[in-house]
Amino acid sequence: MSEAALLRRLFDAALAAADPAAMLKDFLPEPPKGRTIVVGGGKASARMAEALEAAWDGPLEGLVVTRYGHACPCESIEIVEAAHPVPDAAGEAGARRMLEMVSGLTEDDLVIALISGGGSALLALPEEGLTLADKQAVNTALLRSGAHIGEMNVVRKHLSAIKGGRLAAACHPARVVALMISDVPGDQPGVIASGPTVGEASTPADAVAILRKYAIDPPEAVARHLEKSGGCPAPDDPLLARVENRLIAAPQMSLEAAAETALAAGVTPMILGDALEGESRDVGIVMAGIARQVLRHGQPLPRPCVLLSGGETTVTVRGDGRGGRNVEFLLSLAIALDGAPVHAIACDTDGVDGAEEVAGAVIGPTTLARAREAGLVPAEELARNNGHGFFAALGDQVVTGPTLTNVNDFRAVLVP
Amino acid sequence: MSEAALLRRLFDAALAAADPAAMLKDFLPEPPKGRTIVVGGGKASARMAEALEAAWDGPLEGLVVTRYGHACPCESIEIVEAAHPVPDAAGEAGARRMLEMVSGLTEDDLVIALISGGGSALLALPEEGLTLADKQAVNTALLRSGAHIGEMNVVRKHLSAIKGGRLAAACHPARVVALMISDVPGDQPGVIASGPTVGEASTPADAVAILRKYAIDPPEAVARHLEKSGGCPAPDDPLLARVENRLIAAPQMSLEAAAETALAAGVTPMILGDALEGESRDVGIVMAGIARQVLRHGQPLPRPCVLLSGGETTVTVRGDGRGGRNVEFLLSLAIALDGAPVHAIACDTDGVDGAEEVAGAVIGPTTLARAREAGLVPAEELARNNGHGFFAALGDQVVTGPTLTNVNDFRAVLVP
């Protein structure tokens, strides 16, 4: 098997571990005495609903909200498509109907919540007395204020009728099993899609304090709401006593699957991190440094080996090229390796790196030479953030189509 | 022992492995039948000369060129101080006298060459018929042209009377033993101080081709010289048959010494790379991601462990602070770790990080909290590149004084 083929096999193993069609069935609860209602939202929720219908023994009903274009054919579960990342009325209406469906359930009923990244925007339903415009005004002010993402989420949760455990609380007294796909560093359930089934430790008073800290003057309705609201249910709220959150896919699980596949191929894997961050081109330079250490000193492990990592790097856009963080990482890695005998793959597990329907690409020792033969100057292509253009010209793109799941980026650096 | 004390001990082990006073004696040849002449240049050359005098059994004579302020008391070896990184007449005169000293030697004589980083500028002697101004004109044009460092060095070597093996060739027929301290990625002897004792594979025609490639029109004397010059001696030149290059200190050796010390303290070491590069703040973010993987998943190795690395990161200066690449790395690392139970040290092994006589600093889980108590906003301090100011305010600087050696940066990230 060629190095490129092995790398593609590792990526396919990572994708399979994150694909509801392959693994959701392993995480299902027993069917209940009463009804089974399906709810949830996120970029993978339709794919999860489809897998659930295929695996479930018994009647199902319910509704999930996914992104436009991410629907899957379902028989009993309604699929609503809505806007992401900026919420729209379709998502709001879907979320409202979802809450109606879970009201009036009994102890014999079961709610299966299908939660994945993007669910926060797709299920944007303001608490009673608030409008989407109120929430958006606060949101915009927070984004401008320099508040941390953690602080923003505290405020957002206390203005929502769904987030921070409210969806699960609305299901009481039914049993709730949430199946979650994580695309966030740390995999904290309360952070994935803002935790519709996860109790929240913060209070409305905390939200008020954060707004004050950043001198944000919220709309009148928001201020009044935070004053009188009981807030999200706490983690120990009795309304959440019958809620269970199950992580069914996460970056680490996909990296472990790739590691097993590498081992079976006789290549020693090392997982460096499931949530590596940093500017893509600099992450590429660091990874090249580690690969060179393998070549020169057999450290941190001897050849043949593969360095695996996940997470989400960032691209500071400087040029006018067609790019994405994975191809930017790869182009920088190739330049730093300068023809050294190292191969790599880097892809977004949702199948879309940046704005193109291309998951990523592969590189090898001949990448730079072939590029120069094709009239490309690699450093210039990197300077204009033209990763997709670069790898398209070489025929080294990795195309999967939309995978309808997302456990963030996948990187494998192979030193054969 | 506290984590900070352990980290300082690791750094001290790295320094000791790079200190000629501690280890140069282990690399000496047998004294010759004839005379022993000492030559060389670099930031560590005076310290090396001092160590040589202390360890050598027999008469010594000679001259080495070091940077202003880097002299050491020597009895038989003359120490010349000169300018770095921009050459001056003192270095040129020292290099010329050095060549005179090694002319007319016999087969019974031994030349010990003491080579370290900085030697390229400190021993800047143009070939006959060229002036320092000629060389500088070409140099300036190359720097502006976008030529790679490798290409620049080819041109520089063929204009020099010392570099690219010429110093060693001048010693013929004496035996030559060069003792080298590496501060360059890859530790290639021909790159350290431009390889005064190392044969050069390129030719003057290559130098001409590089100047043409970047449309550089060199001074008349340079063009003429490159046309008629025989160039540097090739690696297999008979004039170099009795030359031996010994690497006596290098980033990897210092990392290995720190790794042994960690192991003795019950902490498992992992060397990630002896030549990691990239923007300091992004290298910090990546290293935080790996440390978090240790905390969450016991990968790439279980606690207690320490991640060691060397090499030279870069700082893109954006602010008006007092900084250096090691303190910038640490400040970014601390922000990314956000109080996680991880400790780290990062220092320049020459004792000077950036422009201050401070080697670097240490961080721990309390760094951010103590900074905020002191009225500092860590992200703002990083934005203005104020690493030294930040760690000075906390009392967390590491000060060694000038170490008179240099194996580049030393980083240790400890997860206890």
Side-chain angles (χ1 to χ4, degrees):
Chain A
M1 184 164 37
S2 74
E3 288 84 4
L6 173 59
L7 287 169
R8 179 57 198 260
R9 187 178 287 190
L10 300 186
F11 178 48
D12 287 341
L15 283 184
D19 185 354
M23 56 59 189
L24 181 131
K25 61 182 187 304
D26 300 333
F27 297 88
L28 292 177
E30 287 296 301
K33 229 193 283 183
R35 297 161 60 201
T36 302
I37 317 284
V38 181
V39 296
K43 291 189 234 172
S45 62
R47 181 78 164 175
M48 293 168 89
E50 185 188 26
L52 175 58
E53 287 196 349
W56 190 252
D57 188 18
L60 288 173
E61 55 190 303
L63 176 158
V64 298
V65 181
T66 194
R67 191 179 184 177
Y68 288 115
H70 283 225
C72 291
C74 285
E75 283 179 18
S76 355
I77 304 166
E78 186 184 346
I79 308 296
V80 171
E81 291 186 302
H84 179 279
V86 180
D88 68 358
E92 187 177 354
R96 198 181 307 277
R97 285 180 51 215
M98 199 178 290
L99 283 179
E100 285 160 14
M101 284 178 181
V102 297
S103 75
L105 297 182
T106 73
E107 287 193 3
D108 290 337
D109 299 327
L110 168 67
V111 176
I112 300 181
L114 305 176
I115 308 294
S116 60
S120 190
L122 293 167
L123 299 178
L125 178 63
E127 270 232 283
E128 221 180 298
L130 299 178
T131 64
L132 210 51
D134 289 332
K135 280 188 70 177
Q136 275 160 354
V138 174
N139 219 8
T140 306
L142 280 169
L143 284 169
R144 282 199 194 125
S145 71
H148 309 296
I149 178 72
E151 292 173 320
M152 289 196 248
N153 284 337
V154 164
V155 177
R156 287 168 179 165
K157 281 183 179 180
H158 288 292
L159 301 180
S160 161
I162 293 272
K163 302 185 200 337
R166 278 207 165 99
L167 175 60
C171 300
H172 183 82
R175 180 183 179 202
V176 177
V177 174
L179 306 181
M180 315 184 102
I181 296 180
S182 168
D183 66 340
V184 300
D187 303 324
Q188 286 170 288
V191 179
I192 303 165
S194 295
T197 58
V198 185
E200 172 64 24
S202 74
T203 65
D206 294 328
V208 170
I210 290 164
L211 292 175
R212 200 166 294 151
K213 173 176 171 187
Y214 293 101
I216 293 170
D217 195 18
E220 181 65 24
V222 168
R224 227 175 20 225
H225 172 78
L226 287 176
E227 208 167 292
K228 67 176 185 29
S229 161
C232 301
D236 60 353
D237 192 305
L239 290 176
L240 301 180
R242 297 190 70 209
V243 177
E244 192 188 333
N245 292 299
R246 299 181 180 176
L247 196 64
I248 69 168
Q252 178 71 12
M253 295 181 191
S254 283
L255 293 172
E256 297 279 6
E260 272 176 43
T261 304
L263 212 50
V267 174
T268 314
M270 174 173 276
I271 299 177
L272 289 174
D274 68 353
L276 294 195
E277 299 181 319
E279 182 75 18
S280 308
R281 65 179 64 191
D282 293 286
V283 179
I285 292 169
V286 172
M287 212 59 83
I290 301 176
R292 281 188 188 280
Q293 186 75 5
V294 174
L295 288 169
R296 288 193 63 213
H297 300 292
Q299 295 172 332
L301 77 174
R303 304 161 62 176
C305 65
V306 64
L307 305 164
L308 301 169
S309 61
E312 192 171 317
T313 63
T314 47
V315 173
T316 304
V317 177
R318 298 171 171 95
D320 62 347
R322 296 154 44 209
R325 54 187 191 252
N326 287 287
V327 288
E328 176 112 344
F329 161 82
L330 284 173
L331 182 47
S332 168
L333 176 65
I335 292 170
L337 286 169
D338 195 23
V342 175
H343 304 254
I345 192 170
C347 292
D348 193 319
T349 56
D350 70 4
V352 181
D353 186 37
E356 304 210 14
E357 292 262 318
V358 175
V362 289
I363 65 160
T366 64
T367 298
L368 293 190
R370 288 190 295 116
R372 291 193 192 108
E373 269 168 40
L376 297 166
V377 179
E380 285 173 14
E381 299 300 311
L382 179 59
R384 52 184 285 250
N385 306 115
N386 194 34
H388 281 312
F390 181 87
F391 291 110
L394 293 185
D396 290 343
Q397 292 183 308
V398 174
V399 178
T400 58
T403 63
L404 304 186
T405 188
N406 181 18
V407 290
N408 237 320
D409 296 339
F410 175 83
R411 287 170 233 106
V413 179
L414 173 67
V415 192
Chain B
M1 180 164 41
S2 75
E3 287 85 2
L6 173 59
L7 288 168
R8 179 58 197 258
R9 188 178 285 191
L10 299 186
F11 178 48
D12 287 343
L15 283 184
D19 187 354
M23 55 60 191
L24 181 132
K25 62 182 186 304
D26 301 332
F27 296 88
L28 292 177
E30 286 296 298
K33 229 192 281 182
R35 296 159 61 199
T36 303
I37 317 286
V38 181
V39 296
K43 291 189 234 172
S45 62
R47 181 77 165 178
M48 293 167 90
E50 185 187 25
L52 175 58
E53 286 194 350
W56 190 252
D57 187 19
L60 288 173
E61 57 191 300
L63 175 157
V64 297
V65 181
T66 193
R67 192 180 182 174
Y68 287 114
H70 283 226
C72 291
C74 285
E75 283 178 17
S76 0
I77 304 167
E78 186 184 346
I79 308 296
V80 170
E81 290 185 301
H84 179 278
V86 180
D88 68 358
E92 187 178 353
R96 199 181 304 278
R97 284 180 51 215
M98 200 178 289
L99 283 179
E100 286 160 13
M101 284 178 180
V102 296
S103 76
L105 297 181
T106 75
E107 285 193 6
D108 289 338
D109 299 327
L110 168 68
V111 176
I112 300 181
L114 306 176
I115 308 294
S116 61
S120 191
L122 293 167
L123 299 177
L125 178 64
E127 270 231 282
E128 222 179 295
L130 300 179
T131 64
L132 210 50
D134 289 332
K135 280 187 69 177
Q136 276 159 352
V138 174
N139 219 10
T140 307
L142 281 168
L143 284 169
R144 282 199 195 125
S145 71
H148 309 295
I149 178 72
E151 293 173 321
M152 290 196 246
N153 284 336
V154 165
V155 178
R156 287 168 178 164
K157 281 184 179 181
H158 289 292
L159 301 179
S160 160
I162 292 275
K163 301 185 202 335
R166 280 209 164 96
L167 175 59
C171 301
H172 182 82
R175 180 185 179 198
V176 177
V177 174
L179 307 181
M180 314 184 103
I181 296 180
S182 169
D183 65 341
V184 300
D187 303 327
Q188 286 171 289
V191 179
I192 303 165
S194 296
T197 58
V198 184
E200 172 64 24
S202 73
T203 65
D206 294 327
V208 171
I210 290 164
L211 292 175
R212 199 165 295 151
K213 173 176 172 187
Y214 293 101
I216 293 171
D217 195 18
E220 180 66 27
V222 168
R224 224 170 26 220
H225 172 78
L226 287 175
E227 208 168 292
K228 69 176 184 26
S229 161
C232 302
D236 60 354
D237 192 305
L239 291 175
L240 302 181
R242 298 189 70 209
V243 177
E244 193 187 332
N245 291 298
R246 298 182 182 175
L247 196 64
I248 69 168
Q252 179 71 11
M253 296 181 191
S254 283
L255 293 171
E256 297 279 6
E260 272 177 40
T261 304
L263 212 50
V267 174
T268 312
M270 174 172 275
I271 300 178
L272 290 173
D274 68 352
L276 294 195
E277 300 181 317
E279 183 75 17
S280 307
R281 66 180 62 194
D282 293 286
V283 179
I285 292 169
V286 172
M287 211 59 84
I290 301 176
R292 282 189 187 280
Q293 186 75 4
V294 174
L295 287 169
R296 289 194 63 214
H297 300 294
Q299 294 172 333
L301 76 176
R303 302 161 65 176
C305 66
V306 63
L307 305 164
L308 301 169
S309 62
E312 192 171 318
T313 62
T314 46
V315 173
T316 304
V317 177
R318 299 171 172 94
D320 61 348
R322 296 155 43 210
R325 55 187 189 252
N326 286 286
V327 288
E328 176 112 343
F329 162 81
L330 284 173
L331 182 47
S332 169
L333 177 64
I335 292 170
L337 286 169
D338 196 22
V342 175
H343 303 254
I345 192 170
C347 292
D348 193 319
T349 56
D350 70 4
V352 181
D353 186 37
E356 304 208 13
E357 291 263 320
V358 175
V362 288
I363 65 160
T366 65
T367 299
L368 293 190
R370 289 190 294 116
R372 290 193 191 108
E373 269 169 41
L376 296 166
V377 179
E380 286 174 12
E381 299 299 312
L382 179 60
R384 53 184 285 248
N385 306 114
N386 195 33
H388 281 312
F390 182 87
F391 290 110
L394 294 185
D396 290 344
Q397 292 182 309
V398 174
V399 179
T400 58
T403 63
L404 305 187
T405 188
N406 181 19
V407 289
N408 238 319
D409 296 339
F410 175 82
R411 289 170 231 105
V413 179
L414 172 67
V415 191

